[in-house]
Amino acid sequence: MSKSIKVRDLLKEPAFKRVSGDEESLEREVFVPELNRPGFELAGFFKHTDFRRIILFGEKEIAFVEEMSKESQLACFSKLANDETPCIIIAKGYECPEILRNIANKRNFPIFETKQATGRVSIDLTGTLDEALASETLMHGVFLNIYGKGVVIRGDSGIGKSEIALELIKRGHLLIADDAIELYHIGPGIVGKAPEVLKNLLEIRGIGVIDVSKMFGVSSILPKDNVEMIIQLERWLPSREYTRIGVEEDDVTEDILTVAIPKIVVPVTGGRSMSAIIEAAVMNMQLKNSGFDSSKEFVNRVLNNIKNKVS
């Protein structure tokens, strides 16, 4: 079922003043995050109009309406103020055109006026709708901010994810979620946060649940972050080949809500400092993003050394 948000929960006073429609009209639902600036519609072209979008009038639209005949306004506004359109917003302090207001009152259609600039209304509402209507999923693992990067640590139950997270928090990194991570496709990326019931909590086997914000201070947690890397922890198997130099295979990614996230697999064995290894993995990714690849640099050194010996 598609996610939605009601008009009453989206547009609130004092920023938005309702000029038509009663309380029942505010029960209309918004299903898409995009807004509609009705340029072609005011000119009478409705062929590809998506009436599920909130309609936003700014200075140009109001100026165009003032040049329209009463007959043209009546025909246009009768189509815009329909049962499918969530509402209409008149921005930048302009008043709702009289013909549009009359149609809205007859149909119990909600119209709002605001003094905010048209661009600001568009940016704020699009951002709010994008987050409220974002597709989502749930992932098991630990989510931390390590050196400014959102890193999801995954692995089988009992492999030590929470213990590694505790060590990383002690080293100054920030906890976002433990055990369950709510993931949302917002804009071009993935945003993750903890479910409300698990916020700030970390489960350590043998100790129980600890409140990280109380134990290490509020500076040790983040409410949410962008997912930029996945580290998959696996128990070491002698029969499996693991990455050693870093050029053995192409970059590995994992799709989360259709977004490809960089991923590395790290074997877990006794005696390895996993927190230090994870820190090194994040720093290495940052170096790659800045244009420096340690693996390729090593290969180049080997090739140059061979070349010098041959010559």
Side-chain angles (χ1 to χ4, degrees):
M1 186 176 181
S2 299
K3 297 177 68 176
S4 66
I5 182 172
K6 293 182 178 180
V7 170
R8 71 164 65 255
D9 298 324
L10 183 65
L11 305 176
K12 299 180 180 180
E13 293 188 1
F16 296 93
K17 176 186 175 184
R18 177 159 49 97
V19 297
S20 70
D22 60 15
E23 289 297 318
E24 183 182 351
S25 72
L26 302 183
E27 294 296 317
R28 289 173 177 249
E29 294 179 295
V30 186
F31 293 95
V32 295
E34 298 84 6
L35 306 184
N36 180 18
R37 297 285 300 273
F40 286 108
E41 289 83 357
L42 294 178
F45 186 80
F46 288 86
K47 187 174 183 179
H48 298 288
T49 299
D50 186 353
F51 288 107
R52 298 174 302 164
R53 299 182 181 187
I54 291 175
I55 294 174
L56 176 61
F57 280 75
E59 183 176 18
K60 292 181 179 180
E61 290 80 10
I62 293 297
F64 191 95
V65 169
E66 291 174 351
E67 299 294 325
M68 296 170 65
S69 66
K70 291 184 179 180
E71 292 76 14
S72 297
Q73 289 187 42
L74 183 61
C76 176
F77 295 151
S78 295
K79 292 182 179 180
L80 290 179
N82 59 47
D83 292 336
E84 192 175 5
T85 302
C87 65
I88 293 175
I89 301 173
I90 314 293
K92 210 173 181 180
Y94 287 100
E95 293 184 358
C96 176
E98 184 179 356
I99 294 177
L100 176 58
R101 188 196 298 263
N102 291 338
I103 293 173
N105 286 330
K106 289 179 181 178
R107 298 181 177 180
N108 194 27
F109 180 89
I111 296 178
F112 295 84
E113 293 176 353
T114 179
K115 294 182 179 179
Q116 298 180 58
T118 314
R120 175 49 54 193
V121 175
S122 180
I123 292 172
D124 290 347
L125 281 184
T126 300
T128 301
L129 288 170
D130 201 19
E131 185 167 351
L133 306 178
S135 55
E136 62 182 273
T137 188
L138 189 70
M139 176 180 287
H140 292 288
V142 183
F143 189 27
L144 299 109
N145 180 285
I146 302 174
Y147 296 130
K149 298 289 185 181
V151 181
V152 173
I153 302 174
R154 302 177 62 187
D156 295 337
S157 178
I159 202 168
K161 298 184 296 295
S162 296
E163 290 77 4
I164 293 169
L166 179 61
E167 181 64 28
L168 287 166
I169 293 167
K170 290 173 64 179
R171 295 165 78 107
H173 305 295
L174 311 179
L175 175 71
I176 302 157
D178 177 46
D179 187 43
I181 312 165
E182 293 180 352
L183 300 172
Y184 301 86
H185 187 179
I186 299 177
I190 302 297
V191 175
K193 66 177 184 178
E196 195 65 32
V197 69
L198 299 177
K199 192 173 292 184
N200 306 339
L201 301 180
L202 188 67
E203 180 190 2
I204 305 297
R205 283 180 171 80
I207 297 178
V209 176
I210 64 173
D211 190 317
V212 173
S213 64
K214 296 290 193 301
M215 185 172 291
F216 299 98
V218 293
S219 61
S220 62
I221 59 173
L222 272 182
K224 60 183 178 180
D225 201 1
N226 294 316
V227 178
E228 298 176 81
M229 186 179 189
I230 297 173
I231 295 180
Q232 182 74 37
L233 302 180
E234 291 188 356
R235 290 181 172 83
W236 183 77
L237 296 174
S239 59
R240 176 168 178 179
E241 290 291 331
Y242 295 100
T243 299
R244 293 177 62 87
I245 298 177
V247 295
E248 292 90 343
E249 57 185 11
D250 295 332
D251 292 336
V252 178
T253 62
E254 180 173 331
D255 281 355
I256 301 177
L257 297 172
T258 72
V259 177
I261 305 295
K263 175 182 178 179
I264 65 170
V265 177
V266 177
V268 177
T269 60
R272 301 188 86 192
S273 175
M274 298 309 302
S275 56
I277 290 171
I278 290 173
E279 285 179 331
V282 176
M283 288 188 286
N284 192 49
M285 183 187 75
Q286 290 178 317
L287 283 173
K288 284 185 177 181
N289 291 340
S290 64
F292 180 81
D293 192 322
S294 303
S295 301
K296 292 180 180 179
E297 175 68 17
F298 170 72
V299 171
N300 289 335
R301 289 185 186 181
V302 172
L303 293 176
N304 288 333
N305 187 49
I306 295 172
K307 182 180 178 180
N308 292 333
K309 287 185 177 180
V310 170
S311 59

